Each structure stands twice: as structure tokens, then as C-alpha cells.
Amino acid sequence: MIKNLRFSLFATFSLSAVLFLSGCDKDMAISLKNDNIDNLNVSSVDSLSAVVSTVQMPTIPTAATGTLLVGKVTQPIIGSLTSNTFFRLNPAGITNDFPTTAKFDSLNLVIRPSNNRYAYGDTSKIQKIYVHRLTQALETTTLTPSPTGISFPIYYPGATIFAHQSFNFDANALGSVSFRPHMSKVDTLSVRLSDAVGTEFFKKIKNNDVAFNSASNFQEYFKGLTIRPDAGNTAMVGFKDTLEVRINYSYVGTDGFRKKGVKTLNMADKSVQYNNIVADRTGTEFEALTTTNPLPVAETNGISFIQAGSGVATQISFPALRDFMQQPGIAINKAELEIEIASSHLGYYTAAPQPVLYTTDMGVPTNFLPVPFTNTVQTGTYILGNNTGRPGKYVFNMIQYIRTVNLPDAQNKSLYLSLGNPALFSTGNTSILATQNNQPKVKLNIVYTKFK
């Protein structure tokens, strides 16, 4: 519908995910000295729609993040997410300088909370973790270029280890510990490990065994460790990669008193420390979600979500936007994408705080939506909800993006709402989108001027 309003200079329209509008260009000023003011009109369009789906992004790299992510969270709507961490050990600096009276005491793995003391999920319950010995060497993987020319994801760093990969380990745990994940109060967590393995370490050091002469020799002998959560855990916890495996011993000093000593193994080759993050969506609307099978919101009761670690994203595209932008006489002044979220900033399963939008090519995220007219990744503004029921929302500036819809390859592109580095690779942060009438609450607000 077009209405002629003599003194109206700008038009604003806002559409839901089902009634979507758009258009774009740099802000344009209209001179008030224009004598032919009748040539300016206010227009509204209600024929453009957004297509929203839940997608599984491919090959999420989780190595060398500096965070050991361990735990499990379960949300009935989207299922569970479990993270196990894998790493190698290094014998550097360990020498046979034991006193003659030295005796092995214990073997402990000591881990500390991550710098941001990350925890996600229900931290009110006791959590339990297990430590296992690896039986397969950790190694990186390099992706093979697609024969059809499909690009690698922008977040692919080269040779790495991905979230979906797992390596063999001994089913018998070396040790376990239970704790409450109040990370603001925890300084260290110590896991008592197998005395048999500790005694073996002690003897090899004392006998100058070649296994402790170099990192490579040690990897042949002891391939590393994995830390795994109990199936009943309710939270994910982040730990630093500056861990220690302590070989504790005691001896009688020259003064006749018993003294204590320690030999310490640290983490080796942090490039192969990674988090194996696995989603189980059995029994949910998202059970069929795979990298090759996106799920339109029509198949999930209007629900979509984003999730770090597993790489779940929400795909948004505007099929009719190109035709709209090809109309003559449109000048875009402002464009913002608003996405309301059902997840709260309070409680156990808080919303992810720093969303990003990826631009895609043939379903592969190949770039980030930038801060307009810069090369800086745009982090969506997170506007918190309130106690009266107003949901929180993410807001993105779309003024530059809308300019691209007329490019020749624009029809093969869409947007993925997700998370960026480091959250995507080292957390379980999740946001579920709000819905209304079985449709996600997504809208594009555009301020524009239309000329006759």
C-alpha cells in the first residue's frame, strides 16, 4: 500500500520471522529545502518473509583453546550436551635425584578453574568426573579440499582436532572425584589416581628409564589422559590447561624427620589438547539434525536454537529481499535485525551473551557479519529481558549486509546466528529462540525513504 503524506520524510517497517521486511544502503539525508516534497512517500510492505531453520555447522575445532571443558547439561527441549577433554603429558625436568630412602606415596591430577571460572548448567548439584588413560595417540586432522570447490568454514584453523572426534581409552578409570562446581570458591581440584600407575612412574624415574628421557619417548609409553563426566552430571565446568600430575613421595631426611617431595608432569603439546563435545538429541524435535539435514522451524514447532561446542546455529534467509531491493526510488536509512530469545540471563541455563552472525556460501559459514563498513566482527547487542516477562533479544546492525542482496551470488547465501571465538570452541553456551504462534520471534526493522 502507498500513501502520500506531504510532510513525511522517512518510513519505518517491522516484520516478524513470518512477515519479514528489508532493504538497505548507507544512511541518506533528505534536504528540507526540497521544493517538491510531494515526491516523498511512506510505504509498507507485508509480502516479504524470512525462512528460519536450525542447522548443524560442520567440523567445529576445539583444540588449543586453553580450556579443559568437562561436564554434561540436559535441557528437555533440545537434549543433552557432554564434553570430555583429552591431553598429553610431558616429563620435562624430571630427573632421578630421589634420596636413597624415598618411597612412593601417591599420584594426583591437579586442575584449576579457568580464568573466567566458567560453569554452565545446574551447579547446585554434586558433580563427578573420571580420569582414564588413553590407549590411542592424539593426532591432528587436516581437512581435504572439496572437489566441488566448497570453501572451508572461516573458523577452520588448519591441522587441528574437532569436537566430534574421539580417541580410544582404557575403560577402567584411574581415579575420580566428586565436587560442587561453585567455581568462585574453588582454587584447585585434586583427583587421586591409580597407585599402580604412580608406582610404575616412580620406579621408571628411579631406574632412569628412557620413557622419561623425552616427550616423544613418554608419548610412546603413556599416550595421555582423558577427563570424563558422570552420566548424571548437570553442569559443564571449565579448567585451565596448566594442569599438573604430581608423583608424591616421602623420605627420611638427614635430621631423622620424614619429609615429602614431588615430581611433576605438565601438559605436553597444547595443540592437541581438545574437548570432545557430543550432543544427544534423542526424543526431541531435533533428533534428525545433522550437517546435511537442517530442520525448518515448521518441523520443530517453531523452535530454533544456537549452541556452542556442538556447533548448532539458526539459519536466517530472506528469499524475497532481492526483489524488494530492486525497486526504484528506495533509500535505506537504518536496518536492524532483532531476535528474541526464550533463554534468560538468570538461572541455570543462561543465554549466550555474545552472538555473532556468519555469512555463508552453499551452507558453509565463510565470513562474519562485520561492524558496518569495517573489518571488525560484529557482536550482536544483547538486551536483557526483565522480571515482567519481556524476553531478552539480540540486535544486529544490518545496514551493510542489505546492500549485498543484489550481488550475483546472493541467492546462495544466508545468515547463521551462532557464537564466535572463543565461546564456540570452549563452552556449552546455548540460547533458545523465543516463539509466537509456532514461529520464532525474529524481525527486521528498516527505516527508509521512498521517492516517487
Side-chain angles (χ1 to χ4, degrees), residues 115-309:
N115 290 331
N116 63 349
R117 294 183 175 266
Y118 176 79
Y120 179 76
D122 185 353
T123 58
S124 67
K125 296 181 173 59
I126 293 176
Q127 311 295 301
K128 188 174 184 178
I129 58 176
Y130 304 88
V131 180
H132 295 256
R133 180 174 180 172
L134 298 185
T135 58
Q136 181 183 4
L138 299 175
E139 58 183 4
T140 59
T141 298
T142 301
L143 295 181
T144 302
S146 167
T148 59
I150 297 177
S151 302
F152 291 139
I154 188 174
Y155 49 71
Y156 172 57
T160 188
I161 308 179
F162 301 102
H164 68 274
Q165 292 182 268
S166 187
F167 293 82
N168 297 333
F169 57 90
D170 191 326
N172 296 313
L174 297 179
S176 64
V177 68
S178 297
F179 65 101
R180 289 188 182 275
H182 298 296
M183 302 310 290
S184 60
K185 300 178 181 178
V186 174
D187 291 324
T188 60
L189 194 63
S190 180
V191 187
R192 176 72 179 263
L193 302 181
S194 163
D195 283 348
V197 173
T199 299
E200 189 175 301
F201 282 0
F202 181 81
K203 288 180 178 179
K204 284 184 177 294
I205 298 171
K206 200 166 186 180
N207 293 332
N208 298 311
D209 192 286
V210 294
F212 281 80
N213 285 351
S214 68
S216 58
N217 286 347
F218 191 79
Q219 305 315 318
E220 289 293 325
Y221 157 61
F222 196 91
K223 301 188 186 314
L225 295 171
T226 177
I227 308 176
R228 309 176 65 79
D230 186 82
N233 282 13
T234 59
M236 282 189 174
V237 178
F239 297 96
K240 295 179 183 179
D241 62 3
T242 51
L243 55 80
E244 297 174 344
V245 171
R246 296 176 177 175
I247 306 165
N248 304 296
Y249 62 93
S250 60
Y251 61 96
V252 177
T254 56
D255 57 4
F257 289 95
R258 181 164 292 278
K259 302 181 183 297
K260 294 184 179 297
V262 62
K263 298 288 185 181
T264 302
L265 295 161
N266 300 114
M267 184 183 292
D269 193 0
K270 294 183 179 182
S271 68
V272 294
Q273 181 278 312
Y274 87 106
N275 303 311
N276 165 229
I277 304 175
V278 179
D280 182 356
R281 305 184 187 103
T282 304
T284 73
E285 300 287 348
F286 302 94
E287 186 170 353
L289 179 64
T290 66
T291 55
T292 58
N293 187 45
L295 297 179
V297 292
E299 298 179 13
T300 58
N301 291 319
I303 299 171
S304 187
F305 70 103
I306 64 174
Q307 187 173 65

Side-chain angles (χ1 to χ4, degrees), residues 319-399:
L321 179 58
R322 189 175 187 180
D323 289 340
F324 175 78
M325 288 299 297
Q326 288 177 345
Q327 296 181 81
I330 292 179
I332 304 301
N333 304 97
K334 184 178 181 180
E336 287 185 340
L337 178 63
E338 291 187 4
I339 304 168
E340 292 191 13
I341 49 178
S343 299
S344 172
H345 65 286
L346 301 171
Y348 296 136
Y349 305 106
T350 55
Q354 295 183 310
V356 298
L357 285 171
Y358 293 90
T359 55
T360 69
D361 185 8
M362 302 297 291
V364 177
T366 54
N367 213 333
F368 294 96
L369 184 76
V371 175
F373 313 110
T374 74
N375 293 321
T376 304
V377 176
Q378 181 179 170
T379 299
T381 301
Y382 177 19
I383 300 175
L384 302 181
N386 60 24
N387 294 329
T388 62
R390 184 189 71 195
K393 62 182 177 181
Y394 299 142
V395 179
F396 292 89
N397 187 333
M398 305 295 287
I399 194 73

